[in-house]
Amino acid sequence: MGDLAAAIGAELIGDPAAVVSRIASVEHAGPQSITFITGKKYLPLLAQSEPAAVVLPLDLRDQVSTIQLLSENPYLAYARLTQLWADALMPASDGVVHPSATIAENAQVDRSASIGPGVVVQESAVVGARATIGAGAVIGHASIVGEKTSVHPNATIMHGVTIGSDCEIHSGAVIGADGFGWAPSSDGWVKIHQLGGVQIGNRVSIGACTTVDRGALDNTIIADGVILDNQIQVAHNVVIGENTAIAGCTGIAGSTTIGRNCRIGGAVSIVGHISICDDVLVTANSFVNRSIKHSGSYSSGYPLEDSKTWRKNAVRLHRLDQFARNVIQKS
Amino acid sequence: MGDLAAAIGAELIGDPAAVVSRIASVEHAGPQSITFITGKKYLPLLAQSEPAAVVLPLDLRDQVSTIQLLSENPYLAYARLTQLWADALMPASDGVVHPSATIAENAQVDRSASIGPGVVVQESAVVGARATIGAGAVIGHASIVGEKTSVHPNATIMHGVTIGSDCEIHSGAVIGADGFGWAPSSDGWVKIHQLGGVQIGNRVSIGACTTVDRGALDNTIIADGVILDNQIQVAHNVVIGENTAIAGCTGIAGSTTIGRNCRIGGAVSIVGHISICDDVLVTANSFVNRSIKHSGSYSSGYPLEDSKTWRKNAVRLHRLDQFARNVIQKS
Amino acid sequence: MGDLAAAIGAELIGDPAAVVSRIASVEHAGPQSITFITGKKYLPLLAQSEPAAVVLPLDLRDQVSTIQLLSENPYLAYARLTQLWADALMPASDGVVHPSATIAENAQVDRSASIGPGVVVQESAVVGARATIGAGAVIGHASIVGEKTSVHPNATIMHGVTIGSDCEIHSGAVIGADGFGWAPSSDGWVKIHQLGGVQIGNRVSIGACTTVDRGALDNTIIADGVILDNQIQVAHNVVIGENTAIAGCTGIAGSTTIGRNCRIGGAVSIVGHISICDDVLVTANSFVNRSIKHSGSYSSGYPLEDSKTWRKNAVRLHRLDQFARNVIQKS
């Protein structure tokens, strides 16, 4: 327990020699568990689950009967605890190249990188030290995977993509597919070949089945510390600033710029060629149909109703302008 | 024809020795076809397409000139018919392990399971009897694929995922990627390693490019009989109850619980940490921004208009509260 | 430069022997670059970036100091220029079959087709002349890939799918997964096996992680010249007409028909069993909840507001029908 407290920077009240076998939610903790709570309202749950130890905020000192790990920020301490368990559970990157992998002769794969079964590393690609490429993943021509970056199974990195260090690219993600650029002609759509690439910074996480398209001429850019959830679409020439977080199923159309430290909710749709400044919060399911120039919280979306009420309101909504004109005229 | 009638529990009126070569829609049936209709309104189409045989409801007895298969539930009978054709068309699971597959030494693959080219079955994974793993699919460390479950080509099952029997996981699906858990810190986002797994019941279908994230500490749970269409996002620690059906492109944020026998339409977005009770219907494109405590039908969403009307109404919508205040004040 | 001008059908004013090394956006052009502008407003940017040559509209003749390539349609000329660079950058389809590929004995792979590492071509499949199948892609049983069509890495083509010539199927796309067809029964959902296929015309582009389901009995159909962006869901028995363009994250439910030359924005949701006529424009984030019978522009969606205003308006929206009734009653 002393080790755990030190690792997360918490003050330990209790036996430093005590051990726990797992980290658990407060609802499902038990005598072998360490858990965490972020406030007073979880004390009753804690009393029920009787864990061996709990990470808790400073102001709850001595409110519990278990071993205490007092922390200024229990949620962050919990994040750090999960790192310890993950390190124990996950096999370390071990520098093994599976014999079924196909690695181009002039690709540069660091000796300490791990390459899984069926992986393909194409010509001139670079895989950095202690990077891990999961089974079936493809690293395209001249693409770069930075140190300690993990590309999960069946992810696809196309050509000319640069990924920094300490990143995670989850399964099914596709980085560097062609942006959707077409010129109309009398013979139908003429493809604008996408000659730019994708540039991803350090400590970036990209979720499962998220797609980040390559730029038309310039690069699509994702800055350091950005975290993207699953099934996000990032179109060509989008720029996402440092430490911005985006939840699942959000789509960002071409050439839009998003600032730093933004938090974009899930299922948001963001039109192209706009600019969102730093420190913007967009709530889930919003339609961002214009630039945002001032930091703050933004929303849109039609909230849930019973279907009968919705049908009536929707009819009124359809005539809203006419209704308002009538009312104003009469008043 | 006698065999078909028996297989679907229909009463046969016509030659039991007659044969058909295909099952067809009523629009495209022909003399070699069996088709089905669910009501009287399809009789004219039936007269045009002249199939050899038709499955039809009891109250349409003798309304047609073809062979009749009278059924209490023609749509269900049609579903059962398709099973017969599918069995004939699809190669049976044949217990062949393709030599290009990579199977960990301590993985347990049943002798009757079929393992396609390039498949990877990692350490301690289990593949049950008559299961089929399609080309390029990955079964992660210690994951379990139940009997007769089919994992389609290029699907990815990460570590610690349990899938029951008679399930189908379509191509491009990713089960058990990390949930989107992050703690803010002065140095940016700190990852909360996702230590839970995914637990999937029996007779579950998961669509192409659908993602089901692993839990943070506890499991993400999908109960028996759940059917999920394509491109659905199921975030960490979501629980979906028995026989619930969810249409494509719907997203469910973290820790939300959905009851049994619900039907959720396509492109619905459901926020996190809410609860939806049993027997709820949510229509397509709705935004579920709160818990639902009573069974029934729920909706939201802005219905389609011509763009000019929409622009005018949208301006009014933006000022709706102020407009309502003005009207109430004056009245 | 003379060659470039001829290739794009532009009038050259300047040294035909001049050469450029890259094609660049007007913002990032430099002395080695050719760029393009579509109108007068870009002249100041052009003056700053000082490219070697510029493609520009006829009415800007002699407004610039660089080499001029005068074009009736500079955007289309730019698209054609990118083709030249793409040809130079991309390795040509070279008729190589990687030894790690698995090709069924009775599959027909043209000698000039290229088959990447880990590719699987199943029984009775056909791969046409100069087609390219990227690493890890799967071509299912009896499916056909037309001449010069490119299937990118880790894309999945299921059985019974026909793809025409000059198509592009991007990574992570899944063509021919089962449509979402289920009959309710007292024992839960009974699968309607999807016995139809997918029929894709010529010059079709399908984006990364886009899914096109196979038909229930008849085929799902995508006509010549259709372009689909990333993460689009096309359900079973959808029909999409010639040269229609659809942006990312849009979902189309089952049996809907979309006409020719339509332009559908991103994140649109389209319900099933409706019909959209030719030459329809639908703006981003719309909910198409009914058929469209007249060409024109259509929209819906709740535009962005600050969250405080949205919360107030949303409450009014919830009571809109009652409010309108009250006002009408009083007037």
Side-chain angles (χ1 to χ4, degrees):
Chain A
M1 197 56 63
D3 289 2
L4 293 185
I8 64 174
E11 178 190 351
L12 176 66
I13 303 182
D15 180 5
V19 291
V20 288
S21 61
R22 64 190 202 101
I23 172 168
S25 64
V26 66
E27 291 89 346
H28 296 103
Q32 305 296 318
S33 303
I34 183 169
T35 188
F36 74 101
I37 62 173
T38 54
K40 197 164 62 173
K41 68 174 173 180
Y42 297 102
L43 286 175
L45 273 172
L46 195 67
Q48 279 172 28
S49 62
E50 296 187 337
V54 59
V55 180
L56 73 179
L58 302 180
D59 62 345
L60 294 184
R61 174 186 291 263
D62 296 340
Q63 303 286 303
V64 301
S65 56
T66 67
I67 295 173
Q68 301 170 51
L69 291 87
L70 293 161
S71 167
E72 281 185 12
N73 187 340
Y75 195 64
L76 181 57
Y78 154 56
R80 297 210 160 111
L81 268 186
T82 64
Q83 176 76 63
L84 303 181
W85 260 262
D87 288 349
L89 284 172
M90 285 292 114
S93 170
D94 53 6
V96 169
V97 174
H98 195 274
S100 66
T102 300
I103 298 176
E105 278 196 26
N106 66 349
Q108 299 173 45
V109 175
D110 190 274
R111 286 183 187 183
S112 61
S114 288
I115 307 291
V119 164
V120 177
V121 180
Q122 295 182 335
E123 296 72 22
S124 307
V126 176
V127 177
R130 283 169 292 160
T132 306
I133 314 295
V138 175
I139 310 299
H141 186 274
S143 285
I144 298 171
V145 175
E147 291 186 17
K148 289 181 282 171
T149 282
S150 182
V151 177
H152 289 252
N154 285 336
T156 307
I157 314 297
M158 299 296 289
H159 60 281
V161 172
T162 299
I163 302 174
S165 60
D166 296 297
C167 293
E168 219 168 349
I169 312 294
H170 285 86
S171 294
V174 178
I175 314 297
D178 287 340
F180 197 59
W182 302 87
S185 84
S186 54
D187 296 329
W189 298 102
V190 175
K191 183 177 173 100
I192 297 168
H193 291 267
Q194 303 290 299
L195 305 171
V198 178
Q199 185 185 322
I200 294 177
N202 303 317
R203 290 167 289 105
V204 169
S205 181
I206 292 187
C209 293
T210 281
T211 50
V212 181
D213 278 354
R214 62 191 317 105
L217 294 170
D218 303 321
N219 291 332
T220 302
I221 296 173
I222 298 185
D224 291 349
V226 168
I227 53 175
L228 303 180
D229 196 0
N230 296 353
Q231 301 210 30
I232 290 170
Q233 151 71 350
V234 179
H236 53 180
N237 300 107
V238 164
V239 176
I240 303 179
E242 280 176 40
N243 294 328
T244 281
I246 304 183
C249 303
T250 284
I252 308 163
S255 300
T256 279
T257 295
I258 299 178
R260 289 177 294 185
N261 302 313
C262 293
R263 282 187 282 174
I264 313 287
V268 168
S269 51
I270 304 177
V271 301
H273 297 275
I274 64 168
S275 180
I276 297 176
C277 68
D278 296 347
D279 298 303
V280 164
L281 178 79
V282 178
T283 60
N285 196 51
S286 295
F287 173 32
V288 182
N289 63 327
R290 57 171 174 85
S291 286
I292 300 178
K293 295 177 180 170
H294 303 283
S295 70
S297 178
Y298 294 84
S299 300
S300 77
Y302 196 129
L304 196 73
E305 297 175 339
D306 67 88
S307 296
K308 195 174 161 190
T309 302
W310 174 73
R311 277 192 295 270
K312 288 182 189 170
N313 287 338
V315 168
R316 298 289 179 184
L317 184 56
H318 181 53
R319 297 173 191 150
L320 186 60
D321 180 59
Q322 197 52 55
F323 170 64
R325 281 174 199 274
N326 291 347
V327 170
I328 290 161
Q329 211 161 29
K330 281 179 183 159
S331 68
Chain B
M1 197 57 63
D3 289 1
L4 292 185
I8 64 173
E11 178 189 352
L12 176 65
I13 303 182
D15 179 5
V19 290
V20 288
S21 62
R22 65 190 200 101
I23 171 168
S25 64
V26 65
E27 292 89 348
H28 296 104
Q32 305 296 319
S33 303
I34 183 168
T35 188
F36 75 101
I37 62 172
T38 54
K40 198 164 59 173
K41 67 175 175 180
Y42 298 102
L43 286 175
L45 273 172
L46 195 66
Q48 279 172 29
S49 63
E50 296 188 337
V54 61
V55 180
L56 73 179
L58 302 179
D59 62 345
L60 295 184
R61 174 185 291 263
D62 297 340
Q63 304 287 303
V64 300
S65 57
T66 67
I67 296 173
Q68 301 169 52
L69 291 89
L70 293 161
S71 167
E72 282 184 10
N73 187 339
Y75 195 65
L76 181 57
Y78 154 56
R80 297 210 161 111
L81 269 186
T82 64
Q83 174 77 60
L84 303 180
W85 259 262
D87 288 349
L89 283 173
M90 285 293 114
S93 171
D94 54 5
V96 169
V97 175
H98 195 274
S100 66
T102 300
I103 298 176
E105 279 197 26
N106 65 349
Q108 299 173 44
V109 175
D110 190 276
R111 284 182 190 186
S112 63
S114 289
I115 308 291
V119 164
V120 177
V121 180
Q122 295 182 336
E123 296 73 21
S124 307
V126 177
V127 178
R130 284 169 291 159
T132 306
I133 314 296
V138 175
I139 311 298
H141 186 275
S143 285
I144 298 171
V145 175
E147 292 187 16
K148 290 181 281 170
T149 283
S150 182
V151 177
H152 289 252
N154 285 336
T156 307
I157 315 296
M158 299 296 290
H159 60 282
V161 171
T162 299
I163 302 173
S165 60
D166 296 296
C167 294
E168 220 168 348
I169 312 293
H170 285 85
S171 295
V174 178
I175 315 297
D178 287 339
F180 196 60
W182 302 87
S185 84
S186 54
D187 295 330
W189 298 102
V190 175
K191 183 176 173 99
I192 297 168
H193 292 268
Q194 304 288 298
L195 305 171
V198 178
Q199 185 186 324
I200 295 177
N202 303 318
R203 291 167 289 103
V204 169
S205 180
I206 292 187
C209 293
T210 280
T211 49
V212 181
D213 279 353
R214 62 191 317 105
L217 294 170
D218 303 320
N219 291 332
T220 302
I221 297 174
I222 298 184
D224 291 350
V226 168
I227 53 175
L228 302 181
D229 196 359
N230 296 353
Q231 301 209 31
I232 290 170
Q233 151 71 351
V234 179
H236 53 180
N237 300 107
V238 164
V239 175
I240 303 179
E242 281 177 40
N243 294 328
T244 282
I246 304 183
C249 303
T250 284
I252 308 163
S255 300
T256 278
T257 296
I258 299 179
R260 289 177 294 185
N261 303 313
C262 293
R263 282 187 284 173
I264 313 288
V268 168
S269 51
I270 304 178
V271 300
H273 297 275
I274 65 168
S275 180
I276 298 175
C277 68
D278 296 348
D279 299 302
V280 165
L281 178 78
V282 178
T283 61
N285 196 53
S286 295
F287 172 33
V288 182
N289 63 326
R290 58 172 173 84
S291 286
I292 300 178
K293 295 177 181 171
H294 304 283
S295 70
S297 177
Y298 295 83
S299 300
S300 77
Y302 195 129
L304 197 72
E305 299 176 337
D306 67 87
S307 296
K308 196 174 160 189
T309 303
W310 174 72
R311 277 191 296 270
K312 287 182 189 170
N313 287 338
V315 168
R316 298 288 179 185
L317 184 55
H318 181 53
R319 297 174 191 150
L320 185 60
D321 180 60
Q322 195 53 54
F323 170 63
R325 281 173 199 274
N326 290 347
V327 171
I328 290 162
Q329 209 160 31
K330 281 179 184 161
S331 68
Chain C
M1 196 58 63
D3 289 2
L4 292 186
I8 64 174
E11 178 190 351
L12 176 66
I13 304 182
D15 179 6
V19 291
V20 288
S21 61
R22 65 190 200 101
I23 172 169
S25 64
V26 66
E27 291 89 347
H28 295 104
Q32 305 296 319
S33 303
I34 184 169
T35 188
F36 74 102
I37 62 173
T38 55
K40 199 163 60 172
K41 68 174 174 179
Y42 298 101
L43 286 175
L45 272 172
L46 195 66
Q48 279 172 29
S49 62
E50 297 187 335
V54 61
V55 180
L56 72 179
L58 302 179
D59 63 344
L60 295 183
R61 174 187 291 263
D62 296 341
Q63 303 287 304
V64 301
S65 56
T66 68
I67 296 173
Q68 301 170 52
L69 291 87
L70 292 161
S71 167
E72 281 185 8
N73 186 339
Y75 196 64
L76 180 56
Y78 154 54
R80 297 210 160 111
L81 269 187
T82 63
Q83 176 76 62
L84 304 180
W85 260 261
D87 290 348
L89 284 172
M90 285 293 113
S93 170
D94 54 5
V96 170
V97 174
H98 195 275
S100 64
T102 300
I103 298 176
E105 278 196 27
N106 66 347
Q108 298 173 44
V109 175
D110 190 275
R111 285 183 188 185
S112 62
S114 288
I115 308 290
V119 164
V120 177
V121 181
Q122 295 182 336
E123 296 72 21
S124 307
V126 177
V127 177
R130 284 169 292 160
T132 306
I133 314 295
V138 175
I139 311 298
H141 185 276
S143 286
I144 298 172
V145 175
E147 291 186 16
K148 290 181 281 171
T149 282
S150 181
V151 177
H152 289 252
N154 285 336
T156 307
I157 315 296
M158 298 297 289
H159 60 281
V161 171
T162 298
I163 302 173
S165 61
D166 296 297
C167 294
E168 219 168 348
I169 313 293
H170 285 85
S171 295
V174 178
I175 315 297
D178 288 339
F180 196 60
W182 302 86
S185 85
S186 54
D187 295 331
W189 298 102
V190 175
K191 183 175 173 101
I192 297 169
H193 291 268
Q194 304 289 299
L195 304 171
V198 178
Q199 186 184 322
I200 295 177
N202 303 317
R203 291 167 289 104
V204 169
S205 179
I206 292 188
C209 293
T210 280
T211 50
V212 180
D213 279 352
R214 63 191 317 106
L217 293 170
D218 303 320
N219 290 333
T220 302
I221 296 174
I222 298 184
D224 291 349
V226 168
I227 53 175
L228 303 181
D229 195 359
N230 296 352
Q231 302 211 29
I232 290 170
Q233 150 71 348
V234 179
H236 53 180
N237 299 107
V238 164
V239 176
I240 303 179
E242 280 177 40
N243 294 328
T244 281
I246 305 184
C249 304
T250 283
I252 308 163
S255 300
T256 279
T257 295
I258 300 178
R260 288 177 296 186
N261 303 313
C262 293
R263 283 187 282 174
I264 313 287
V268 169
S269 51
I270 303 177
V271 301
H273 298 275
I274 66 168
S275 180
I276 298 176
C277 69
D278 295 348
D279 298 304
V280 164
L281 178 79
V282 178
T283 59
N285 196 52
S286 295
F287 172 34
V288 182
N289 62 328
R290 58 173 175 82
S291 286
I292 300 179
K293 295 176 179 172
H294 303 284
S295 71
S297 177
Y298 295 83
S299 300
S300 76
Y302 195 128
L304 197 72
E305 299 175 338
D306 67 87
S307 297
K308 195 174 160 190
T309 302
W310 174 73
R311 277 191 296 268
K312 287 183 189 170
N313 286 338
V315 168
R316 298 288 179 185
L317 184 55
H318 181 53
R319 296 172 191 153
L320 186 59
D321 179 60
Q322 196 51 52
F323 170 63
R325 281 173 198 275
N326 290 348
V327 169
I328 290 162
Q329 210 161 30
K330 281 179 184 160
S331 68

